C-alpha cells in the first residue's frame, strides 16, 4: 500500500519526456561508486541513488583494506566527490530485503544495479569446522577494521602461541601481517581500538600459512609478500623441498613474470635448516602442499580447536583446464594451534527476487545484464544489472571494479538507447522521491552523505587525540547517534 501511494504521488505530475534516467545502486563499495560515476558522466541529467545497509559508505575500502595500507584508501576522496554531485545521493542504513525489497526498487527506478559484494564466506566442508577458535578471515578483518557487525568477535589471542591461516592469497597475508607486526607500528593507523588492545596482549608468536599447492602457484602478490617479509625481527620458515620446481612449474613460471618474482622472493627468504630462531622472535611459516583434512578438538577446552590435520598433496595436471591441481597422497600430519583463520574465499548472498548461480556464487549475467537463470535459455531481466564481485566473483583489486563498471554502464547505455529501461506507459519512475517516501512510511532512519560526514569528522577528531588518522566508531548505536546529531 505504501509503495502504491509513493508511485501514484510521484507519477501524478511527471512524464518520461521530461524526466531524467533514475538509477538505484545497491552497495556503496568501489563497484557501486565507479558505476555511479560512469552513469553520471554518460547520461546528462541522470539521477543516481546509492543505498547501503551500513551508515558508512565505501564498502571494503573501509572495512577490508588493511589499516597499515592508507595509500589504498585515498580512492575514497574520488568516491566522496561522486557522492557530493547534486545528481547523486548516498542513502545509508537501508537494508535490501528488510527495509525495502528488490521488487519495490524495480518499481521505483528505471534501472537497479546490484553491487553489494560478498558478505559471507566459503566453507572448507571438513569435520569439526564448527569448533570455537575457528574464524573466517573476513570476520577477523572486519574485527580489526571496526566493522559494526564484528566488533564483538573477540578472538582468543592469549591461550595459544600458534595460529594457522588456511589459504595463501593477499587476505591471508594481510591477517598474518596484522598478527605479527609490532603493535607500536599499528598504533598510528586507523585500526580499531578493541583490536589494538587485544593484539597488544596477544600471545601469538607463530603463524602458519597453509596452502594446497606449491610456491609456484601462490595466490598473493609480490607487493604483499615483500611487505610481510620486511616485518622487524620476524623469522621466515620455508621448507627448501617445497621450493623445488617440476618441469610443469618451470613452464608455469616462464609464462608468468609476477609468479616468477614471487618464487624468487620466497627462495631468498627461505631459512637454512641449521638456523635457529632467537628467543621470543616471531615466526611466519609458509606451508605448501598441505590440504586441510579435519580440525582437532582440545582435550582440556571442550569445543575449542587445538589443531589441524592436513594431508600431503602432489600436483597433477587437470585434463580439462590444463592447470596443476592438488591431489591427496594419503599421508597425514597434525599441526597444533589455538586459532584458525580460513582465507579460502568470500561468498555473495542472494536476496529474494534476484536470480543466483549457487555453483559459481554470482548473479547470472551477460555484460552486467542480469539473466533470469543460469542457463542458455535464460532471458534478460529488464532494468536489472549487476557489478563487482556479485557479477564476476570475489577476484581482482579495487581498480578491477572500474573496468567492471564500464562494461555494466555500457550495457545500461545501450538499453537506454533502445528504450528498454524506460517505461512505455508514458509515466516516469518515482526514483529518489518515491524511495524516501516509502522508507519514511516504514520508519527507516536513513543516513545521508551529510550524516556520514558527521561520522567522518568525529572519527578524525577522536583519532587526533591518539596520533591516529581516525578512531573508528564501531557500534551501530554510536554510528547512528553521531550521524543523526
Amino acid at each position: 500500500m505504501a509503495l502504491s501511494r509513493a508511485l501514484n504521488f510521484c507519477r501524478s505530475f511527471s512524464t518520461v519526456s521530461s524526466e531524467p534516467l533514475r538509477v538505484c545502486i545497491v552497495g556503496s563499495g568501489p563497484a557501486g561508486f565507479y558505476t555511479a560515476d560512469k552513469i553520471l558522466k554518460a547520461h546528462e541529467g541522470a539521477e543516481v541513488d546509492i543505498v547501503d545497509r551500513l551508515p558508512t559508505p565505501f564498502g571494503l575500502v573501509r572495512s577490508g583494506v588493511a589499516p597499515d595500507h592508507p595509500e589504498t584508501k585515498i580512492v575514497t576522496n574520488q568516491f566522496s566527490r561522486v557522492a557530493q554531485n547534486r545528481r547523486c545521493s548516498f542513502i545509508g542504513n537501508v537494508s535490501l530485503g528488510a527495509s525495502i525489497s528488490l521488487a519495490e526498487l524495480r518499481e521505483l527506478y528505471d534501472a537497479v544495479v546490484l553491487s553489494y559484494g560478498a558478505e559471507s564466506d566459503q566453507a572448507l566442508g571438513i569435520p569439526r569446522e564448527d569448533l570455537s577458535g575457528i574464524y573466517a578471515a573476513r570476520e577477523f578483518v572486519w574485527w580489526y577494521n571496526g566493522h559494526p557487525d564484528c566488533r564483538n568477535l573477540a578472538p582468543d589471542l592469549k591461550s595459544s602461541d600458534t595460529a594457522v591461516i588456511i589459504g595463501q592469497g593477499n587476505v591471508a597475508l594481510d591477517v598474518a601481517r596484522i598478527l605479527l607486526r609490532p603493535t607500536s607500528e599499528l598504533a598510528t593507523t586507523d585500526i580499531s581500538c578493541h583490536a589494538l588492545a587485544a593484539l597488544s596482549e596477544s600471545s601469538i608468536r607463530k603463524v602458519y600459512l597453509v596452502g594446497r599447492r606449491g610456491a609456484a602457484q601462490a595466490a598473493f602478490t609480490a607487493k604483499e609478500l615483500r611487505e610481510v617479509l620486511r616485518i622487524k625481527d620476524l623469522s621466515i620458515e620455508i621448507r627448501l623441498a617445497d621450493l623445488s620446481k617440476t618441469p610443469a612449474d618451470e613452464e608455469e613460471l616462464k609464462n608468468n613474470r609476477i609468479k616468477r618474482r614471487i618464487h624468487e622472493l620466497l627462495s631468498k627468504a627461505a631459512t637454512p635448516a641449521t638456523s635457529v630462531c632467537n628467543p621470543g622472535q616471531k615466526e611466519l611459516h609458509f606451508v605448501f602442499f598441505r590440504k586441510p583434512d579435519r580440525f582437532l578438538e582440545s582435550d582440556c577446552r571442550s569445543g575449542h580447536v587445538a589443531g589441524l590435520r592436513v594431508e600431503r598433496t602432489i600436483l597433477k595436471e587437470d585434463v580439462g583446464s590444463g592447470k596443476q591441481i592438488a591431489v591427496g597422497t594419503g599421508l597425514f600430519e597434525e599441526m597444533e594451534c589455538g586459532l584458525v583463520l580460513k582465507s579460502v574465499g568470500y561468498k555473495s548472498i542472494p536476496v529474494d527476487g534476484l536470480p543466483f548461480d549457487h555453483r559459481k556464487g554470482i548473479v547470472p549475467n551477460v555484460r552486467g545484464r542480469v539473466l533470469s537463470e543460469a542457463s542458455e535459455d535464460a532471458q534478460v531481466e529488464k532494468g536489472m544489472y549487476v557489478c563487482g564481485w556479485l557479477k564476476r566473483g570475489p577476484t581482482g583489486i579495487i581498480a578491477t571494479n572500474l573496468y567492471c563498471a564500464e562494461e555494466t554502464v555500457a550495457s545500461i547505455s545501450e538499453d537506454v538507447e533502445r528504450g528498454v529501461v524506460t517505461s512505455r506507459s508514458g509515466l516516469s519512475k518515482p526514483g529518489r522521491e518515491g524511495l524516501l517516501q516509502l522508507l519514511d512510511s516504514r520508519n527507516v532512519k536513513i543516513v545521508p552523505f551529510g550524516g556520514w560526514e558527521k561520522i567522518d569528522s568525529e572519527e578524525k577528531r577522536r583519532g587526533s587525540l591518539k596520533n591516529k588518522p581516525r578512531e573508528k566508531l564501531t557500534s551501530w548505536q554510536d554510528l547512528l547517534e553521531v550521524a543523526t546529531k
Side-chain angles (χ1 to χ4, degrees):
M1 181 64 73
L3 176 61
S4 178
R5 286 199 300 269
L7 290 169
N8 290 334
F9 173 77
C10 294
R11 284 176 172 168
S12 63
F13 56 85
S14 59
T15 62
V16 165
S17 60
S18 61
E19 291 299 312
L21 176 70
R22 292 188 168 99
V23 180
C24 181
I25 298 171
V26 181
S28 67
F33 268 104
Y34 282 133
T35 300
D37 190 31
K38 296 293 178 185
I39 290 173
L40 291 168
K41 289 176 178 175
H43 297 273
E44 186 178 352
E47 293 179 359
V48 179
D49 299 326
I50 307 172
V51 302
D52 200 290
R53 73 177 186 90
L54 292 173
T56 55
F58 311 137
L60 280 180
V61 180
R62 177 176 168 91
S63 62
V65 174
D68 55 352
H69 285 174
E71 70 285 351
T72 307
K73 302 182 185 187
I74 293 174
V75 71
T76 60
N77 295 333
Q78 177 187 347
F79 297 160
S80 293
R81 288 192 292 272
V82 174
Q84 290 161 349
N85 186 307
R86 61 182 178 80
R87 293 187 285 126
C88 183
S89 287
F90 169 76
I91 306 173
N93 198 39
V94 175
S95 179
L96 181 63
S99 308
I100 192 167
S101 70
L102 179 57
E104 288 170 332
L105 284 180
R106 296 181 73 182
E107 281 289 315
L108 292 167
Y109 288 88
D110 298 311
V112 176
V113 183
L114 289 310
S115 63
Y116 58 78
E119 292 196 332
S120 187
D121 313 279
Q122 299 287 352
L124 288 167
I126 62 176
R128 305 316 311 271
E129 197 168 353
D130 59 341
L131 289 171
S132 62
I134 302 172
Y135 304 95
R138 173 193 59 81
E139 296 175 302
F140 190 73
V141 170
W142 280 13
W143 171 72
Y144 66 62
N145 273 330
H147 192 294
D149 285 354
C150 288
R151 73 177 302 237
N152 296 319
L153 190 70
D156 182 1
L157 306 181
K158 290 184 178 181
S159 299
S160 172
D161 68 350
T162 304
V164 166
I165 300 170
I166 301 172
Q168 293 181 333
N170 281 344
V171 174
L173 279 189
D174 272 349
V175 296
R177 193 177 68 253
I178 295 299
L179 283 169
L180 295 168
R181 191 169 180 179
T183 51
S184 58
E185 297 177 7
L186 293 175
T188 55
T189 71
D190 67 358
I191 191 170
S192 65
C193 59
H194 56 253
L196 184 62
L199 290 164
S200 298
E201 299 177 355
S202 172
S203 300
I204 301 294
R205 293 291 176 270
K206 301 176 185 178
V207 173
Y208 290 81
L209 276 169
V210 179
R212 291 193 276 190
R213 298 192 294 168
Q217 293 80 33
F220 42 72
T221 61
K223 176 180 179 294
E224 292 282 345
L225 178 59
R226 278 193 296 267
E227 197 165 1
V228 79
L229 296 179
R230 291 182 187 137
I231 294 176
K232 287 191 287 189
D233 301 321
L234 179 66
S235 174
I236 304 296
E237 307 286 332
I238 307 173
R239 296 184 182 96
L240 290 175
D242 286 351
L243 294 170
S244 60
K245 293 174 285 188
T246 65
D249 289 336
E250 294 280 9
E251 188 67 22
E252 198 170 331
L253 294 174
K254 183 178 75 173
N255 297 321
N256 192 315
R257 181 182 61 83
I258 296 173
K259 295 284 188 184
R260 198 162 60 243
R261 180 59 181 147
I262 290 169
H263 196 278
E264 290 169 358
L265 289 169
L266 288 170
S267 299
K268 288 179 181 178
T271 309
T274 55
S275 67
V276 179
C277 289
N278 298 324
Q281 188 176 23
K282 293 183 178 181
E283 305 168 21
L284 176 60
H285 297 251
F286 288 85
V287 182
F288 298 103
F289 303 109
R290 300 296 187 275
K291 179 174 71 171
D293 177 69
R294 66 171 57 241
F295 292 106
L296 308 174
E297 184 177 1
S298 171
D299 292 330
C300 52
R301 296 178 68 194
S302 178
H304 198 281
V305 70
L308 172 68
R309 188 169 90 149
V310 296
E311 182 180 8
R312 292 187 190 179
T313 64
I314 57 173
L315 297 184
K316 289 188 175 180
E317 183 178 336
D318 178 59
V319 177
S321 66
K323 294 181 179 180
Q324 295 191 86
I325 60 171
V327 178
T329 63
L331 299 174
F332 296 89
E333 303 170 357
E334 291 185 0
M335 306 170 65
E336 292 185 5
C337 62
L339 175 70
V340 176
L341 299 172
K342 302 177 297 178
S343 184
V344 293
Y346 288 64
K347 184 172 73 174
S348 294
I349 304 171
V351 296
D352 287 344
L354 180 65
F356 198 78
D357 185 335
H358 291 274
R359 185 178 64 84
K360 294 182 179 179
I362 61 171
V363 172
N365 72 93
V366 174
R367 297 179 63 241
R369 293 182 180 93
V370 174
L371 299 177
S372 58
E373 57 184 345
S375 75
E376 294 181 0
D377 300 325
Q379 302 295 311
V380 171
E381 291 280 346
K382 176 184 171 184
M384 190 152 64
Y385 304 86
V386 66
C387 189
W389 283 2
L390 199 58
K391 172 184 173 184
R392 67 180 191 275
T395 60
I397 59 175
I398 289 174
T400 308
N401 294 289
L402 174 61
Y403 306 110
C404 188
E406 284 179 346
E407 182 181 66
T408 295
V409 173
S411 293
I412 294 172
S413 297
E414 289 171 9
D415 292 347
V416 168
E417 187 70 23
R418 292 161 44 212
V420 173
V421 300
T422 52
S423 172
R424 294 182 181 178
S425 65
L427 298 174
S428 73
K429 297 290 184 81
R432 183 180 310 156
E433 191 170 1
L435 175 64
L436 295 179
Q437 185 181 12
L438 184 60
L439 294 173
D440 183 62
S441 73
R442 292 173 178 170
N443 295 316
V444 177
K445 306 301 181 187
I446 68 163
V447 175
F449 197 73
W452 152 247
E453 289 176 322
K454 292 177 183 178
I455 294 171
D456 184 42
S457 178
E458 177 62 13
E459 288 183 343
K460 288 176 178 177
R461 184 192 69 79
R462 295 186 184 194
S464 68
L465 303 176
K466 299 181 179 181
N467 194 32
K468 298 178 66 176
R470 70 174 64 240
E471 185 66 75
K472 288 180 179 175
L473 302 176
T474 60
S475 76
W476 282 91
Q477 181 179 345
D478 288 347
L479 287 163
L480 293 174
E481 279 184 5
V482 171
T484 54
K485 276 183 180 177

